[in-house]
Amino acid sequence: AEIRPIGEVIKELFQNDLLRYLEEKPDEGEFQNEQVEAVVESMMGGFHLDEPKEMYVYSNHSKYCGAAVLLDERGLEEFSEEQGSFFIVPSSIHEVILIPERVIPVGGELKALLRDINTQMEDGTEYLSDRIYYYDRERKCVEVRA
């Protein structure tokens, strides 16, 4: 299991998409890795990856069926030791998003985020849940919030 700041994950997705596009379009010329990274950095301009991260993606290393990491009690507990209690937004069967409670003290905004995520899925095969979960640091347990 791995927990990564969401900005890093988005940057990686942009970079992988751009590399795939360039592989499919050989007439675009050859690009060096540094050039691809520069383009991605330009695309990521508004994300401010160097600032403190407030949303995290929790998945496995293969990023396939990674939402199963929620069964890793040790990983949840370790994250809570650093961040305190947190909300869990099940974004797909491949990952979940962790948001420290200090960032969003009320779960209502998260319900809208989850609704947006679920409506963007092209088919229902990666759908995980329409519920928001909460990890209580003191009780060391996950509960349904909304």
Side-chain angles (χ1 to χ4, degrees):
E2 64 182 10
I3 299 174
R4 297 175 52 204
I6 198 165
E8 287 180 14
V9 175
I10 292 170
K11 180 179 177 182
E12 182 180 284
L13 290 171
F14 278 156
Q15 193 161 341
N16 290 342
D17 285 349
L18 181 57
L19 288 170
R20 255 191 312 278
Y21 172 80
L22 292 173
E23 287 173 4
E24 294 171 1
K25 305 282 186 182
D27 56 319
E28 297 290 329
E30 299 231 358
F31 283 82
Q32 301 296 322
N33 282 343
E34 297 82 24
Q35 292 171 307
V36 170
E37 288 176 19
V39 169
V40 170
E41 287 295 327
S42 173
M43 292 168 61
M44 296 293 297
F47 285 100
H48 306 293
L49 297 178
D50 297 329
E51 293 179 8
K53 316 308 185 281
E54 299 296 346
M55 292 175 65
Y56 300 83
V57 176
Y58 192 25
S59 186
N60 56 23
H61 291 290
S62 67
K63 298 163 189 64
Y64 182 77
C65 292
V69 296
L70 284 176
L71 300 174
D72 177 21
E73 293 176 23
R74 188 186 68 226
L76 296 172
E77 187 175 342
E78 288 175 4
F79 184 76
S80 74
E81 288 171 6
E82 290 180 21
Q83 301 291 333
S85 296
F86 57 92
F87 292 98
I88 302 167
V89 179
S91 56
S92 80
I93 62 171
H94 303 299
E95 74 278 321
V96 297
I97 298 171
L98 308 179
I99 305 172
E101 181 179 34
R102 66 179 163 23
V103 176
I104 302 178
V106 187
E109 299 167 18
L110 295 177
K111 196 73 170 168
L113 171 65
L114 180 58
R115 198 170 28 256
D116 288 346
I117 290 169
N118 286 341
T119 58
Q120 290 178 16
M121 289 190 192
E122 293 180 17
D123 61 20
T125 61
E126 295 184 358
Y127 169 82
L128 184 60
S129 175
D130 59 356
R131 302 278 191 163
I132 301 294
Y133 300 88
Y134 178 78
Y135 183 86
D136 186 309
R137 179 182 178 183
E138 299 301 318
R139 295 182 17 225
K140 297 181 181 178
C141 69
V142 175
E143 58 189 48
V144 176
R145 271 297 167 99

